Amino acid sequence: MTTLQGVTAAAGFSAAATTAGIKPSGKSDMALVVNQGPEFNAAGVFTRNRVVASPVKVSREALADGQLKAVLFNSGNANACNGTQGDADARAAVAAVAQQIGLEPAEVAACSTGLIGELLPMEKVQAGIDKLSGSLTENAGPEAAAAIMTTDTVEKQTEQTGDGWVLGGMGKGVGMMAPSLATMLVCLTTDASASPEALDKALKAACDKTFNTLDIDGSTSTNDTVILMANGASGVTPSQDELDAAVLTACADLADQLQADAEGVTKRVKITIEGTATDEQALNAARTLGRDNLFKCAMFGSDPNWGRVLAAVGMADAEMDPDKISVYFNDQPVCENSTGAPGAREVDLSGADIDVRVDLGTGGPGTAFVRTTDLSHSYVEINSAYSS
Amino acid sequence: MTTLQGVTAAAGFSAAATTAGIKPSGKSDMALVVNQGPEFNAAGVFTRNRVVASPVKVSREALADGQLKAVLFNSGNANACNGTQGDADARAAVAAVAQQIGLEPAEVAACSTGLIGELLPMEKVQAGIDKLSGSLTENAGPEAAAAIMTTDTVEKQTEQTGDGWVLGGMGKGVGMMAPSLATMLVCLTTDASASPEALDKALKAACDKTFNTLDIDGSTSTNDTVILMANGASGVTPSQDELDAAVLTACADLADQLQADAEGVTKRVKITIEGTATDEQALNAARTLGRDNLFKCAMFGSDPNWGRVLAAVGMADAEMDPDKISVYFNDQPVCENSTGAPGAREVDLSGADIDVRVDLGTGGPGTAFVRTTDLSHSYVEINSAYSS
């Protein structure tokens, strides 16, 4: 199997990774991705949480003009909820990167992930930036993907090939995943030529269909960031449709990897809702079900307890006919007209993938799709011993 | 310690309990509470879930005229999502009670709790009703409280004494607890004289302040029912304020018992939100925090991870100043102006009770209070092996 190059797969992007000592584990914890041009167009999507980490503020400002030349990453510390000192530290970090590699601070974005509420160890960060700046190469994508991991168990990379151009990327994220992103960092790079507007359109559409349908625990991080950079090094300008398709495929690929590696996951659950008035109502119902702990525990136990599906969707903000709800597990009917179907208790849910389809019975055209996971002992284990 | 009489504490109420064989465990699983008059005024509060169990439909109809003479209970089977057969079974059960003790079917309510989507074993139910009708006594409150338990580990009863009158009751509920009640059944009885309107006012106000602030897992049952019956046997007509106070105290007592016995609970968490525009916004924030699995796992781990509090409330539908949020654990400040307070990581949360207070920093008058629990291994264990 060929090793993916991820964020350095596209021409004209270099990267570096290092161990700065931010993580107590001694694993790599800083990375830098640099766009060598000739173009520096970029787009970003950020957390909708009102409590926003300092690096998100810095990155939003850097991306405001649709131009970006580098992104600094660290894991092990989220630099969130650190007040004005946190903002100053994030700005100092991008300024140090800019100085080291000859850019303006406003051309550098920052992404952090890890514990909230601890100040960044700036001496270590500064030393890390010095090392990163001196070791940029065009094949460090895999090392960068490893350096942004927290409780991730595997690196997450993607590569898509267009007609004469390439789109690559890396991502991380294992918990706090909710429709408005996750403790999720994604960086996509392409050597296609594309305007900031084209990138923004492609990225927003892809996020809506991929990361925003991923709901592990209803929690939304303060640090979520997805960045897409394009340098035109291939000399090819794909159509908007071609760009949209490549970005969507890359995001879907990373979303699949994120779901598979979600904290404590033993089941990957895909929820489809049909038969309500609008897509928005269907999405409300899908999210309500995907966040219902009793339903998620039943999935962990491979238990075809369809009654919990009805109890959950019955609370959703969606039109439904309470007497005509149907539920299918792995395409087998388990509930029809809101009553149990023959053999419903014997449906086999022992596999790692479970499809749940619910028809809310109004005959309306609304549909929606959400990915979630089960609620397992490991989820509790991992998340009850995080900061201590 | 004197044994509480619970639902038979007030004069003129009798009860019975029996083992009908609905529960595979062989424990008692049916109960009957009968009001002997002279008055038969009553009020009820029911689940807001749109998927409604058959006994809830029957009880709503029975209570429509503010009159009620008896309530039939069964555990082990929710009689929910059983279609028209479920409705017919619930009607047949109350008709059988009515026939046995000389009432009209419309004078009898029904409450069921247990697995969703299984038909009631009507032969066993009928035999159970025969036994219950023949064994009514004025001191069977404790037995009735035991017969409505599912995964409850203890009976839940209350008794409040007014000036010459008594209010008693029983309750059950351990999971699926959310602001619009729970898999929660509560029956309150009083020998005070009170109109249906006075009872309704007292009960709705008390539910809003007690059961509706209890949020274990954001799930809301199809069967939730709270019934209050008054027979005037004491000859005393309390003022509305006196009635309100007694009903509130009884509901608060049962809510405390429900929270303490919630599935897998190792921590009782009280959440207070302040400093937002309105009480409604404060309640939104309190519920968002109370349902956040990452926060609940941190509580299980006795981990003062206040960053998760900020990440959770940041997603709530409430006005806040993201730079001025304060968090207190057990009255100790752990976060001020959205940054960590000195010693925040050392706060001791090892006790079973944790108070969490969050000021959203707008200076507004909105406040709200919600009770929740931690998310523990036992919660996952209990709820992943429920129906199988």
Side-chain angles (χ1 to χ4, degrees):
Chain A
M1 188 176 118
T2 315
T3 303
L4 293 181
Q5 282 301 313
V7 82
T8 51
F13 286 94
S14 58
T18 191
T19 302
I22 303 171
K23 283 179 180 165
S25 67
K27 292 186 179 169
S28 65
D29 50 19
M30 288 190 76
L32 181 63
V33 175
V34 176
N35 180 359
Q36 298 164 335
E39 299 167 3
F40 303 97
N41 296 327
V45 171
F46 299 97
T47 181
R48 291 190 313 177
N49 202 309
R50 260 163 296 189
V51 177
V52 165
S54 297
V56 171
K57 297 178 194 173
V58 167
S59 295
R60 274 186 178 146
E61 289 170 19
L63 272 159
D65 62 356
Q67 302 286 305
L68 200 64
K69 293 188 176 172
V71 186
L72 176 69
F73 297 85
N74 78 271
S75 56
N77 184 313
N79 193 15
C81 304
N82 285 329
T84 52
Q85 185 62 49
D87 295 349
D89 289 345
R91 286 183 208 294
V94 299
V97 170
Q99 189 189 16
Q100 286 279 350
I101 61 177
L103 305 176
E104 294 298 317
E107 296 170 327
V108 183
C111 296
S112 300
T113 176
L115 189 61
I116 295 174
E118 297 285 332
L119 288 174
L120 273 178
M122 287 305 289
E123 273 191 36
K124 292 176 180 175
V125 168
Q126 180 66 57
I129 290 168
D130 294 347
K131 276 203 257 178
L132 291 169
S133 307
S135 59
L136 289 160
T137 72
E138 293 195 355
N139 53 16
E143 288 75 23
I148 62 173
M149 289 163 62
T150 53
T151 52
D152 303 68
T153 63
V154 292
E155 296 88 345
K156 297 163 184 86
Q157 298 189 99
T158 189
E159 278 182 38
Q160 309 302 323
T161 307
D163 188 6
W165 57 284
V166 169
L167 175 82
M170 64 181 185
K172 68 80 49 184
V174 280
M176 268 201 183
M177 290 186 182
S180 44
L181 304 183
T183 301
M184 197 187 78
L185 303 179
V186 169
C187 183
L188 299 171
T189 53
T190 179
D191 49 24
S193 179
S195 69
E197 295 73 27
L199 296 172
D200 190 61
K201 185 166 179 287
L203 189 61
K204 285 205 167 68
C207 283
D208 277 346
K209 286 191 183 157
T210 57
F211 305 123
N212 285 348
T213 67
L214 192 62
D215 193 338
I216 304 305
D217 53 18
S219 302
T220 301
S221 157
T222 52
N223 291 55
D224 301 329
T225 303
V226 181
I227 288 174
L228 168 59
M229 295 189 281
N231 63 13
S234 68
V236 178
T237 304
S239 71
Q240 184 75 46
D241 282 353
E242 290 173 310
L243 183 68
D244 286 353
V247 174
L248 177 61
T249 307
C251 288
D253 184 12
L254 288 172
D256 278 340
Q257 296 177 53
L258 291 166
Q259 183 189 29
D261 197 28
E263 282 172 351
V265 65
T266 77
K267 304 280 190 179
R268 296 180 293 265
V269 182
K270 295 187 175 182
I271 297 171
T272 306
I273 304 282
E274 305 169 344
T276 185
T278 64
D279 289 353
E280 188 186 355
Q281 290 183 22
L283 189 59
N284 288 343
R287 287 180 179 168
T288 300
L289 180 57
R291 291 177 181 177
D292 188 83
N293 281 350
L294 289 171
F295 167 71
K296 291 160 80 84
C297 284
M299 295 296 97
F300 173 57
S302 303
D303 178 1
N305 193 338
W306 56 267
R308 290 187 183 170
V309 175
L310 263 69
V313 298
M315 287 305 292
D317 185 12
E319 280 181 49
M320 64 191 71
D321 183 335
D323 295 321
K324 290 193 179 164
I325 300 172
S326 303
V327 180
Y328 304 82
F329 286 154
N330 292 339
D331 286 326
Q332 290 183 259
V334 292
C335 169
E336 294 172 315
N337 292 321
S338 300
T339 65
R345 302 274 180 218
E346 282 72 50
V347 170
D348 181 11
L349 302 183
S350 60
D353 288 284
I354 300 176
D355 277 307
V356 179
R357 184 156 57 88
V358 184
D359 188 318
L360 294 178
T362 72
T367 63
F369 172 74
V370 157
R371 305 151 196 256
T372 188
T373 58
D374 57 346
L375 177 56
S376 69
H377 287 300
S378 299
Y379 180 92
V380 175
E381 192 63 34
I382 292 167
N383 287 303
S384 59
Y386 183 72
S387 80
S388 48
Chain B
M1 188 174 118
T2 313
T3 303
L4 293 182
Q5 281 302 312
V7 82
T8 51
F13 287 94
S14 58
T18 190
T19 302
I22 304 171
K23 283 180 181 166
S25 66
K27 293 186 178 168
S28 64
D29 48 20
M30 288 190 75
L32 181 62
V33 175
V34 177
N35 180 358
Q36 300 165 333
E39 299 168 1
F40 303 97
N41 296 327
V45 171
F46 300 97
T47 181
R48 289 189 314 176
N49 201 310
R50 259 162 297 188
V51 177
V52 165
S54 296
V56 171
K57 297 178 194 173
V58 167
S59 295
R60 274 187 179 146
E61 290 171 18
L63 272 160
D65 61 356
Q67 300 289 306
L68 199 64
K69 294 189 177 172
V71 186
L72 176 68
F73 297 85
N74 78 271
S75 56
N77 185 314
N79 193 16
C81 304
N82 285 330
T84 52
Q85 185 62 49
D87 295 349
D89 289 346
R91 284 183 209 293
V94 299
V97 170
Q99 190 189 16
Q100 286 280 350
I101 60 177
L103 306 176
E104 294 299 316
E107 295 170 327
V108 183
C111 297
S112 299
T113 176
L115 190 60
I116 295 174
E118 297 284 333
L119 287 174
L120 272 179
M122 287 305 291
E123 273 190 37
K124 292 177 179 173
V125 169
Q126 181 66 58
I129 290 168
D130 294 347
K131 276 203 258 180
L132 292 170
S133 307
S135 59
L136 289 159
T137 72
E138 293 194 356
N139 54 14
E143 288 74 22
I148 62 174
M149 289 163 62
T150 54
T151 52
D152 303 68
T153 63
V154 292
E155 296 88 345
K156 297 165 184 83
Q157 297 188 101
T158 189
E159 279 183 36
Q160 309 301 324
T161 307
D163 189 6
W165 56 285
V166 169
L167 176 83
M170 65 180 184
K172 66 81 51 182
V174 280
M176 269 202 181
M177 290 188 184
S180 43
L181 304 185
T183 301
M184 195 188 82
L185 303 179
V186 169
C187 183
L188 299 172
T189 53
T190 179
D191 49 24
S193 179
S195 69
E197 295 72 28
L199 295 173
D200 190 62
K201 185 165 179 290
L203 189 61
K204 284 205 169 68
C207 283
D208 277 347
K209 287 192 185 158
T210 56
F211 305 124
N212 286 347
T213 67
L214 191 62
D215 193 339
I216 304 305
D217 52 18
S219 302
T220 301
S221 157
T222 52
N223 291 55
D224 300 329
T225 303
V226 181
I227 287 174
L228 168 59
M229 295 188 281
N231 63 12
S234 68
V236 178
T237 303
S239 70
Q240 184 75 46
D241 282 351
E242 290 173 311
L243 184 66
D244 287 352
V247 175
L248 176 62
T249 306
C251 289
D253 183 13
L254 288 172
D256 278 340
Q257 296 178 53
L258 291 166
Q259 183 190 29
D261 196 30
E263 282 173 350
V265 65
T266 76
K267 303 282 190 179
R268 296 180 293 266
V269 182
K270 296 189 176 182
I271 296 171
T272 306
I273 303 283
E274 306 169 343
T276 185
T278 65
D279 289 354
E280 188 185 356
Q281 290 183 22
L283 189 59
N284 289 342
R287 287 181 179 168
T288 300
L289 179 58
R291 290 177 182 179
D292 188 83
N293 280 350
L294 289 171
F295 167 70
K296 289 160 80 83
C297 284
M299 295 298 96
F300 173 55
S302 302
D303 178 0
N305 193 338
W306 56 268
R308 290 187 183 169
V309 175
L310 263 68
V313 298
M315 287 305 293
D317 185 13
E319 279 181 52
M320 64 191 72
D321 184 334
D323 296 321
K324 290 194 179 163
I325 300 173
S326 302
V327 181
Y328 303 81
F329 287 154
N330 292 339
D331 285 326
Q332 290 183 259
V334 292
C335 169
E336 295 173 313
N337 292 322
S338 301
T339 65
R345 303 274 179 219
E346 281 72 51
V347 171
D348 181 11
L349 302 184
S350 61
D353 287 285
I354 300 176
D355 277 306
V356 179
R357 184 157 58 89
V358 183
D359 188 318
L360 294 177
T362 71
T367 62
F369 172 73
V370 158
R371 304 151 197 257
T372 188
T373 58
D374 58 345
L375 177 56
S376 69
H377 288 299
S378 299
Y379 180 92
V380 175
E381 193 64 33
I382 292 166
N383 287 303
S384 60
Y386 182 72
S387 81
S388 49

